Amino acid sequence: MKVISVNVSLPRIVEYNGEPVATGIFKETVPGPVMVRRLNLDGDAQADLSVHGGVSKAVYAYPSEHYEYWKKELPAAYLKHGELPYGMFGENLTTAGLLEDEVNVGDRFRLGGAELRATEPRLPCYKLGIKFGRPDIVKRFLQSRRTGFYLAVEKEGEIAKGDEIKLLERDKNNITISDITRLYAFEKEDLVTLRRVVELESLSESWREHFLDRLRKLGI
């Protein structure tokens, strides 16, 4: 497991439906080490802190393995120079060897000098549609279940392209990132997993409340 690319950007203003929109989704690859801090990477920031960023979503990782899928799914007219550059999905870290159905919520990793903890899947917003120039990418992204995942920063440190990703601790609850996506969008009445998910210490409070509300509506 390793880091394939490190990508950052500061928010910029773009036009969407004739209106100015601030977004930090236009990530660009950086060649050297980048300091990872509690809320983001140096040189990186989120535009709308009401839905992006925060302690549980400080770093966004996306598996490089998914790029081949998207190259086949998306028409060449939407690809830059016939390819999808790393960072295209707004990720800070493009990784190899870390897939959503293999990473547990709460797993701890060392990347370079930093220690990170997996927290939740990424849910796409309309700004991904701005990036790709097609609003249907938002639905297709979620339907693909290739969401990538967020990480909280347990120990600040530098991360660089080529760094090994070492698993430090496997969360014993065995609820994967894919399980959260599945419960959210596809198998909403899986009561057994719902009961387990709401007990996860590493799950953010907003996700916990979402699933608790689901249980309440199901009469549990």
Side-chain angles (χ1 to χ4, degrees):
M1 301 185 295
K2 67 178 181 178
V3 177
I4 300 297
S5 180
V6 180
N7 319 293
V8 300
S9 71
L10 295 175
R12 69 174 69 172
I13 302 297
V14 298
E15 185 176 305
Y16 178 67
N17 289 338
E19 299 291 335
V21 173
T23 176
I25 201 171
F26 290 88
K27 306 300 184 192
E28 295 183 1
T29 299
V30 291
V34 176
M35 188 70 181
V36 179
R37 305 191 187 276
R38 185 169 178 267
L39 293 179
N40 49 38
L41 287 72
D42 281 359
D44 193 69
Q46 299 85 20
D48 185 353
L49 295 178
S50 68
V51 291
H52 299 293
V55 173
S56 66
K57 296 189 286 186
V59 179
Y60 174 41
Y62 197 72
S64 61
E65 292 86 345
H66 296 338
Y67 273 79
E68 287 304 315
Y69 170 85
W70 289 114
K71 287 176 184 177
K72 296 175 182 177
E73 282 290 307
L74 300 176
Y78 293 99
L79 306 184
K80 182 180 180 181
H81 306 306
E83 64 179 359
L84 283 175
Y86 291 137
M88 189 68 186
F89 295 92
E91 75 269 20
N92 299 117
L93 304 177
T94 314
T95 62
L98 282 179
L99 297 176
E100 295 89 345
D101 59 357
E102 300 168 349
V103 175
N104 286 344
V105 174
D107 281 358
R108 292 178 58 246
F109 302 93
R110 178 181 294 122
L111 299 79
E115 294 181 11
L116 310 178
R117 175 171 45 85
T119 57
E120 60 191 80
R122 180 265 192 94
L123 295 182
C125 75
Y126 73 98
K127 291 179 181 179
L128 187 64
I130 294 176
K131 180 72 179 288
F132 277 86
R134 50 183 304 163
D136 70 321
I137 188 65
V138 177
K139 181 178 180 180
R140 293 174 69 171
F141 185 85
L142 182 59
Q143 289 293 322
S144 76
R145 309 196 191 198
R146 292 167 169 83
T147 63
F149 50 93
Y150 287 109
L151 301 120
V153 179
E154 303 252 305
K155 177 186 175 183
E156 297 182 348
E158 288 189 333
I159 294 180
K161 174 183 177 180
D163 280 348
E164 177 187 6
I165 300 174
K166 182 178 180 180
L167 177 64
L168 297 179
E169 182 182 359
R170 181 79 166 164
D171 189 90
K172 64 181 182 299
N173 293 291
N174 291 320
I175 297 292
T176 67
I177 296 294
S178 290
D179 284 329
I180 303 299
T181 305
R182 176 174 61 81
L183 287 177
Y184 173 76
F186 303 99
E187 298 177 22
K188 299 182 179 183
E189 298 186 5
D190 179 355
L191 296 180
V192 173
T193 309
L194 278 170
R195 289 191 182 100
R196 293 174 60 206
V197 162
V198 296
E199 299 297 327
L200 287 174
E201 292 183 7
S202 296
L203 194 66
S204 68
E205 197 57 36
S206 60
W207 273 105
R208 190 187 322 282
E209 186 56 38
H210 173 80
F211 289 126
L212 282 170
D213 185 59
R214 178 85 56 78
L215 285 170
R216 287 191 288 266
K217 289 179 178 178
L218 291 171
I220 305 301

